[in-house]
Amino acid sequence: MKKINLSAYHPILDIQGHIIFANNGNVVLGYQVGNPEIYSLSEKDFEDIHGSWFQAFKSLPVSTVIHKQDIYRKSHYTANKLPNDTFLQKATHDYFKGRGYLQHSCYLFFVLPHNKALNAPKFVNPFRKVEKGIHKQMDHTVQEFIASVNDAVSFVNNSRRVSLVPLKEKEILELTNTYFNGFNEGFDTDIQLKKSNIEIGENHFDVLAINSELCFGDVVQSSKTNDKFTSDDFIFHQGFIDGLGLNLNENHIVNQIIYLDDKHKWRKLLDKKIEELKKSSNFGTQNKVILKKIEDIVAKINEDDSSRIIRGHLNIVFWDKDEAQLERIASKIKTEFKELDIVPYYPKGEERKNYFLNSYCCHASNFSNEDLYVTDLKHALCLYINNTNYQSDATGVIFNDRQHNIPVLKDVWDEKKKRIKARNFAIFAPTGEGKSFLANNILRQYFESDVRLVVIDLGGSYDKFAKLYPDKHIILRYEQGKNLGINPFYISDVNDLTPERLEDLGIFLLELLASGKSTTKAEEVAVKKVLRYYYQKGVNDTHSLENLYRFVDAKKDSLLETLHIQEQHFNIYDFLHILSEYVDDGLYSFLFNVSEDQTYKIEDKRLIVFELDEVKDNKEILSVMLKLIKSAIQRTIWRNKAEKGIILFDEFAKQLKFGNVLESVEFYYQAIRKQNGAIGIILQSINQLPNNSTSASILENTQVIYSLRNEKGYAELKNRLNLSSHDLNQLKSIRNNLTGDRKYTEMFIKIGKESNIFRLEVPPEVFAAYLTDGQENEAIMAIYNETNNMETAIGRFLQESQ
């Protein structure tokens, strides 16, 4: 057969759901395989997956054929999942659109062969119709087979590492047509079977295979060292034949076919073969090698009751539009095999055609004994590729994968709480590693997906990002001797005084008075009584701290008696003494010296930045500022529980120098649970968080972790966040590339229990928007001051710097 026209020789008689009734009498059950992301697995993970495949397959009926097919195709990133509305979104969309990458699809087929003896002759016409005894419907044999396969599939799915999803009829037909159409797009074509190679449309195909025990070296295992990321102090693992997967970066298919044979039949056959080899008069070197291999296999069978003898076949089909490239690809594949101490077989002519046509699921039972190696099932399963491309979520923040730098969406909000219970996050990175850059990237994307942001910043890192949205942001800067315009006691209407509002004001006052001491329930009730009385009886001018102070001072002789409060629960003289610092000409009176509350200014802003740079070294002012900010957040942002919101503490360590700040922030962590919100903190090192119960509570409620490169190591991060040893290996494998066309930083991201290394590569416009210091930043700000338009400023800066 020199030419095959699929419409004349279609291999499928009928499809019912995911069950294929093939032309040749075989019944095939097809599944799409969902694999973990590449680089996310540890040595133990590889062992566990290998173990679950073995447990799932070992009880399948004798004569079952299992065909795993991994298809890798060179593709171009379409960018249609990326938002494309704002200035920075458009820049990102256009920058990545069309970027090349290797797309991976993985399928698993269970075949009930028409010929149960599995003794195909050397060459079989795979398209030949078999009428006699063909399974055309669900007879008893087929139903039993389906039940066994269902058990195996359930076992794999319950392992939660790998998922098997039944294929749909449309997917099966599409896969069939794509395969026999030679992965050509836009036209149908015939298969031309030439002596030099197989030609289908514009593509030329070739094959390399493992078809005999002699191909293998001494060691086959479930994983091996990944040389690219392994260093002196840690070992990074990859699957045993991962070098033939995504890392090959060529159009190719890895087919692995397993024939489950009768163990006892094989034991007899092998014993007989050993006998023959021992008697052999011309006892050459080759015979000795074969004898040793067969003796090893028999020993394994006899030792291990759970062993399952199989015959197996592995081949790699590869293709290119340019015939001359096939030799180069073959050479790459051989190099990979050499690394594994495996010598592949290179089929020619009829053999090549046979391997190509029978690497289609319905024909997988057609391999003859000469095309198959004999081994144990555990050995064969080491040759499975158990990972795939980075997986994008339906929505999320855009990062880049580690393989091709293409965008990956990661849902770090997790609306349905599948991965995390609390969406609070922490960013760890030393100075100069780009933590503000990363925070800008995360916050900007949240902001553009309608999340409200409050940033408490000590360094002016969010100016440029904010100025891209002129009507939607407000920056409130603290300046020496001035207030922020926030009056927590202001109410425009008596109906504003809800029980929640009184609670919040009570906490505000107690924090102001307590200076870090814990308060009793009795003290809390007493303060709320005083506040309520003040709002009922106080002179109805603008309510403020000063006004409250005067009210309590005026009523100090009768207040406790009127409200039935004992002195130990509300000490009037302490109250007046401590608050005197904040009224009249007290040292900090300017903080509250505000008649009308101006928090209404922030009510409709979706990006609110409090810049407290000038105050970062003053414990008292910073502490009061954080309390004022908290009251403003509660009265504006947290009023609408349906609205998503994030509070970010940048340069958190500088705020943490003061004890009561930690308690104040812990309050946010507890309160945010009731809101549709998250809290983020940015630290140079986890050691900046004191090792106490308050910090432990904060870390416990932080379930999204970002870490950039840290030359000093990650031991403390591992200990305090209970990271796994593979998490630590991932952290140690971080490598940045800040030269060349594609500059990127790498970061570790852990969402709940899932972790991997991601990259951050951004287009020039986004890079310019996130810059926080240096000459380039000053140049952009100079243009902005002249034009008052950040988009124009960035555009002009990029033009001028080309």
Side-chain angles (χ1 to χ4, degrees):
M1 193 192 306
K2 296 292 174 209
K3 182 173 164 184
I4 298 168
N5 177 325
L6 195 65
S7 55
Y9 299 96
H10 205 281
I12 296 174
L13 277 181
D14 186 25
I15 300 173
Q16 295 175 24
H18 67 297
I19 304 165
I20 308 163
F21 293 90
N23 203 341
N24 58 8
N26 290 349
V27 178
V28 184
L29 275 66
Y31 297 85
Q32 174 116 33
V33 184
N35 285 306
E37 292 179 340
I38 190 167
Y39 307 128
S40 68
L41 299 172
S42 67
E43 183 178 21
K44 184 179 182 305
D45 294 331
F46 283 114
E47 279 170 23
D48 290 348
I49 294 171
H50 177 272
S52 72
W53 282 129
F54 177 73
Q55 291 298 332
F57 292 169
K58 71 173 186 180
S59 306
L60 284 168
V62 168
S63 81
T64 300
V65 176
I66 303 165
H67 178 188
K68 184 165 180 284
Q69 187 169 59
D70 290 273
I71 302 174
Y72 298 90
R73 295 173 72 178
K74 286 185 173 180
S75 302
H76 290 96
Y77 185 70
T78 60
N80 55 13
K81 268 195 167 186
L82 299 187
N84 192 18
D85 300 316
T86 67
F87 172 62
L88 296 184
Q89 283 175 347
K90 282 182 179 133
T92 304
H93 178 278
D94 296 349
Y95 180 75
F96 287 110
K97 189 177 179 181
R99 178 168 289 195
Y101 75 107
L102 201 63
Q103 187 184 22
H104 175 215
S105 310
C106 183
Y107 304 97
L108 189 66
F109 302 99
F110 297 92
V111 184
L112 170 64
H114 181 60
N115 167 12
K116 283 201 159 183
L118 287 178
N119 55 356
K122 180 65 186 155
F123 297 116
V124 178
N125 175 358
F127 296 99
R128 187 191 55 178
K129 271 195 176 167
V130 177
E131 290 298 343
K132 197 176 168 206
I134 198 163
H135 302 289
K136 282 188 179 163
Q137 68 285 316
M138 301 285 187
D139 63 16
H140 178 65
T141 316
V142 174
Q143 282 170 339
E144 275 191 352
F145 177 70
I146 291 169
S148 306
V149 170
N150 284 344
D151 288 346
V153 168
S154 296
F155 189 89
V156 173
N157 283 335
N158 287 335
S159 74
R160 295 179 177 231
R161 293 277 186 192
V162 175
S163 66
L164 299 177
V165 179
L167 286 168
K168 297 183 176 73
E169 179 177 348
K170 184 173 170 248
E171 293 169 324
I172 293 164
L173 290 172
E174 208 171 282
L175 189 61
T176 303
N177 292 334
T178 305
Y179 186 77
F180 288 113
N181 201 43
F183 299 92
N184 289 286
E185 288 177 6
F187 60 88
D188 286 342
T189 186
D190 297 330
I191 300 176
Q192 306 285 338
L193 301 163
K194 297 183 172 180
K195 281 205 167 168
S196 59
N197 68 26
I198 296 167
E199 193 180 318
I200 312 175
E202 296 176 344
N203 293 330
H204 299 268
F205 286 74
D206 212 340
V207 185
L208 279 164
I210 300 173
N211 65 346
S212 147
E213 308 84 70
L214 294 171
C215 294
F216 292 104
D218 291 338
V219 180
V220 173
Q221 54 209 31
S222 58
S223 69
K224 67 186 274 285
T225 302
N226 178 320
D227 296 330
K228 185 177 173 187
F229 296 120
T230 295
S231 182
D232 293 345
D233 59 337
F234 73 100
I235 295 175
F236 204 89
H237 281 83
Q238 65 180 51
F240 188 66
I241 69 161
D242 277 4
L244 296 164
L246 282 170
N247 292 326
L248 188 57
N249 218 14
E250 301 289 349
N251 288 315
H252 68 290
I253 303 171
V254 179
N255 290 296
Q256 194 184 0
I257 293 152
I258 293 173
Y259 288 20
L260 294 176
D261 283 322
D262 182 344
K263 180 171 172 174
H264 304 296
K265 181 184 101 176
W266 269 100
R267 190 184 282 162
K268 282 177 195 159
L269 280 172
L270 291 171
D271 284 342
K272 195 174 168 194
K273 212 166 185 184
I274 289 172
E275 224 171 282
E276 281 170 13
L277 282 167
K278 282 185 172 168
K279 283 181 193 163
S280 178
S281 52
N282 55 348
F283 205 73
T285 321
Q286 187 74 340
N287 281 0
K288 279 182 184 168
V289 172
I290 297 169
L291 176 66
K292 168 117 181 45
K293 291 212 173 200
I294 295 173
E295 282 178 335
D296 286 348
I297 292 167
V298 171
K300 217 179 262 178
I301 299 171
N302 294 334
E303 268 164 36
D304 186 356
D305 284 341
S306 70
S307 77
R308 179 86 199 247
I309 289 297
I310 63 109
R311 280 175 299 158
H313 174 90
L314 183 138
N315 70 50
I316 295 171
V317 174
F318 51 98
W319 72 94
D320 200 279
K321 281 187 177 173
D322 179 359
E323 189 177 352
Q325 291 296 322
L326 293 179
E327 207 171 309
R328 178 187 61 82
I329 301 169
S331 168
K332 275 172 86 170
I333 295 168
K334 285 175 192 165
T335 304
E336 277 303 327
F337 273 129
K338 195 172 182 185
E339 290 269 309
L340 305 172
D341 196 16
I342 291 174
V343 181
Y345 165 68
Y346 189 20
K348 295 281 176 79
E350 194 72 8
E351 197 81 29
R352 180 196 287 125
K353 175 194 87 174
N354 193 37
Y355 283 6
F356 176 80
L357 296 178
N358 292 331
S359 294
Y360 167 66
C361 60
C362 292
H363 304 156
S365 59
N366 285 348
F367 288 99
S368 75
N369 234 339
E370 291 168 50
D371 307 313
L372 301 161
Y373 57 82
V374 180
T375 187
D376 176 68
L377 177 59
K378 284 180 183 168
H379 176 287
L381 290 172
C382 289
L383 306 180
Y384 266 23
I385 293 174
N386 291 312
N387 52 41
T388 188
N389 302 95
Y390 278 60
Q391 299 297 295
S392 269
D393 296 320
T395 59
V397 176
I398 302 165
F399 300 101
N400 302 86
D401 80 349
R402 200 178 198 179
Q403 195 72 19
H404 310 98
N405 280 29
I406 58 166
V408 183
L409 282 123
K410 277 290 153 193
D411 183 1
V412 284
W413 188 268
D414 200 6
E415 191 83 53
K416 297 194 170 101
K417 300 197 172 177
K418 287 181 185 172
R419 290 188 281 218
I420 47 177
K421 300 282 182 287
R423 48 183 70 101
N424 304 322
F425 63 92
I427 297 173
F428 299 101
T431 304
E433 287 293 340
K435 53 184 179 291
S436 292
F437 194 93
L438 173 58
N440 266 288
N441 184 57
I442 296 166
L443 292 187
R444 189 268 297 181
Q445 292 183 59
Y446 269 136
F447 175 77
E448 291 180 338
S449 58
D450 293 331
V451 177
R452 204 161 181 184
L453 304 180
V454 179
V455 180
I456 296 153
D457 181 26
L458 270 60
S461 301
Y462 303 91
D463 259 22
K464 291 216 299 304
F465 151 40
K467 287 184 169 82
L468 279 165
Y469 312 95
D471 304 329
K472 295 179 181 173
H473 85 275
I474 184 166
I475 295 175
L476 298 167
R477 272 193 190 87
Y478 168 76
E479 291 173 53
Q480 187 64 46
K482 292 185 183 173
N483 59 61
L484 275 179
I486 299 169
N487 175 4
F489 298 91
Y490 175 81
I491 58 167
S492 55
D493 188 300
V494 74
N495 295 327
D496 282 357
L497 203 67
T498 58
E500 288 84 5
R501 186 72 197 277
L502 267 175
E503 287 281 354
D504 292 343
L505 278 172
I507 291 167
F508 179 81
L509 265 181
L510 284 165
E511 282 183 346
L512 215 51
L513 294 166
S515 65
K517 293 201 301 283
S518 59
T519 54
T520 65
K521 181 75 179 168
E523 287 169 325
E524 288 168 20
V525 172
V527 163
K528 281 184 280 186
K529 274 186 172 180
V530 171
L531 277 166
R532 201 165 167 208
Y533 187 55
Y534 160 66
Y535 279 105
Q536 285 167 350
K537 304 289 182 192
V539 183
N540 196 13
D541 58 3
T542 306
H543 295 288
S544 66
L545 183 71
E546 188 168 344
N547 199 261
L548 171 67
Y549 177 85
R550 303 218 177 295
F551 176 81
V552 172
D553 194 23
K555 304 259 183 201
K556 60 178 178 279
D557 298 331
S558 59
L559 187 67
L560 297 183
E561 198 178 325
T562 308
L563 296 177
H564 306 295
I565 296 172
Q566 291 187 10
E567 197 171 332
Q568 74 254 36
H569 299 143
F570 186 82
N571 186 319
I572 287 180
Y573 295 98
D574 274 5
F575 178 90
L576 294 171
H577 176 59
I578 292 168
L579 291 191
S580 65
E581 273 214 297
Y582 303 109
V583 299
D584 295 336
D585 57 354
L587 188 58
Y588 301 115
S589 60
F590 61 87
L591 290 171
F592 291 92
N593 187 12
V594 55
S595 53
E596 192 182 327
D597 178 58
Q598 292 173 357
T599 43
Y600 67 87
K601 285 183 180 174
I602 68 175
E603 279 179 19
D604 62 338
K605 302 297 181 196
R606 286 200 17 260
L607 170 57
I608 302 146
V609 183
F610 293 100
E611 279 194 6
L612 308 180
D613 200 33
E614 282 198 35
V615 77
K616 62 183 177 223
D617 296 321
N618 186 317
K619 171 183 176 179
E620 191 63 35
I621 297 182
L622 182 62
S623 178
V624 175
M625 281 288 177
L626 287 170
K627 292 180 183 69
L628 285 169
I629 290 166
K630 184 162 74 180
S631 92
I633 289 169
Q634 282 167 308
R635 277 154 51 217
T636 56
I637 295 148
W638 283 0
R639 274 192 325 190
N640 178 2
K641 290 193 180 179
E643 189 178 52
K644 295 176 180 176
I646 290 178
I647 301 167
L648 177 78
F649 293 90
D650 197 350
E651 292 287 2
F652 189 44
K654 289 177 184 169
Q655 302 169 30
L656 281 181
K657 284 190 290 191
F658 318 121
N660 51 353
V661 170
L662 197 59
E663 278 71 37
S664 165
V665 171
E666 190 190 14
F667 163 82
Y668 280 108
Y669 272 86
Q670 280 155 2
I672 204 99
R673 287 180 191 165
K674 301 171 201 158
Q675 313 297 328
N676 193 4
I679 292 178
I681 55 174
I682 301 181
L683 290 165
Q684 291 185 19
S685 154
I686 199 162
N687 290 339
Q688 293 176 321
L689 266 184
N691 211 341
N692 58 26
S693 59
T694 311
S695 295
S697 156
I698 285 174
L699 291 175
E700 209 170 292
N701 284 305
T702 301
Q703 294 192 0
V704 183
I705 302 294
Y706 302 90
S707 174
L708 292 153
R709 194 176 69 115
N710 190 338
E711 286 178 345
K712 291 178 182 168
Y714 308 92
E716 277 302 305
L717 205 60
K718 178 185 185 294
N719 296 340
R720 301 226 3 222
L721 294 172
N722 295 320
L723 299 180
S724 71
S725 56
H726 184 57
D727 290 337
L728 184 60
N729 286 346
Q730 285 176 325
L731 281 159
K732 288 178 174 178
S733 77
I734 289 176
R735 309 268 187 278
N736 295 339
N737 176 22
L738 302 174
T739 56
D741 291 341
R742 291 190 184 176
K743 298 181 181 69
Y744 60 80
T745 50
E746 287 194 333
M747 78 206 79
F748 168 83
I749 303 180
K750 184 158 190 170
I751 306 167
K753 289 181 177 159
E754 295 175 15
S755 65
N756 212 340
I757 298 295
F758 291 82
R759 287 179 176 168
L760 185 54
E761 180 190 341
V762 296
E765 295 86 342
V766 175
F767 185 79
Y770 296 169
L771 279 177
T772 53
D773 48 28
Q775 283 180 333
E776 293 169 313
N777 185 52
E778 283 169 28
I780 295 166
M781 290 312 287
I783 304 170
Y784 171 77
N785 292 334
E786 180 194 318
T787 60
N788 210 26
N789 183 310
M790 189 51 78
E791 284 184 29
T792 308
I794 289 171
R796 219 168 87 189
F797 166 77
L798 292 174
Q799 264 180 330
E800 287 170 9
S801 56
Q802 270 176 358

